[in-house]
Amino acid sequence: MHMLRYLAPVLVLVPASASAQAVQPGNWDVTSKVVDLAIPGVPGFLARMIKGKSKAEHKRLSAGEGIEALLLPDPKAMCRVDTQRIGDGHYAQTLSCPQKHGEPMHITRTGSYGTGGFVGQATVTGTTPKGPLSIALEQHAARVGG
């Protein structure tokens, strides 16, 4: 499962924003599902095992927090927000995320949001020691309790 280390920091990345639309306080899951991937050197059976897998990041929001609270990155990933637009029910973001070796991974995210969370897509691109990689994700945030 060596290639999962490339996915782990990516699956929970979602960057910060200026105040947008308020969401309900409580427990939320931000889930990322791998819909496609091309990672050089990964055996086909492993790529098939990874495709369709989901990972959830659990967040707790307080009263008055906006949608941007769901779009905060995992601090452990140390990603930098390169560009970001949030407004009128839509978001678009680009990020750079450092790797232990080599150039940073780049993430492009787009989607829509409302009081019930967000839904969107993310594309991760970068380079491994064996060549370029690409990962496509479906992402959504949903309230899971008070």
Side-chain angles (χ1 to χ4, degrees):
M1 301 305 262
H2 180 264
M3 284 294 120
L4 288 178
R5 76 176 186 189
Y6 291 110
L7 296 176
V10 170
L11 294 177
V12 294
L13 298 177
V14 219
S17 165
S19 183
Q21 184 170 356
V23 293
Q24 289 185 338
N27 296 317
W28 289 76
D29 280 351
V30 177
T31 304
S32 296
K33 178 181 175 184
V34 178
V35 294
D36 198 15
L37 71 155
I39 304 174
V42 172
F45 77 92
L46 184 56
R48 288 187 296 277
M49 287 175 54
I50 296 169
K51 192 172 179 179
K53 297 292 182 194
S54 295
K55 179 174 175 107
E57 178 184 10
H58 310 290
K59 294 185 176 247
R60 173 110 182 120
L61 301 186
S62 300
E65 287 190 281
I67 195 74
E68 72 278 1
L70 292 174
L71 297 173
L72 290 173
D74 180 344
K76 291 179 268 178
M78 300 184 335
C79 293
R80 180 184 77 220
V81 177
D82 297 322
T83 65
Q84 177 170 276
R85 289 184 321 276
I86 297 177
D88 297 324
H90 297 281
Y91 66 89
Q93 302 166 325
T94 59
L95 298 128
S96 298
C97 303
Q99 300 300 302
K100 288 183 182 179
H101 304 287
E103 295 295 314
M105 297 285 189
H106 299 283
I107 302 170
T108 303
R109 301 179 66 236
T110 59
S112 59
Y113 67 88
T115 58
F118 70 80
V119 62
Q121 303 77 39
T123 302
V124 181
T125 57
T127 304
T128 71
K130 295 186 178 192
L133 70 78
S134 176
I135 304 167
L137 305 167
E138 291 176 353
Q139 297 183 310
H140 71 276
R143 189 168 183 274
V144 294

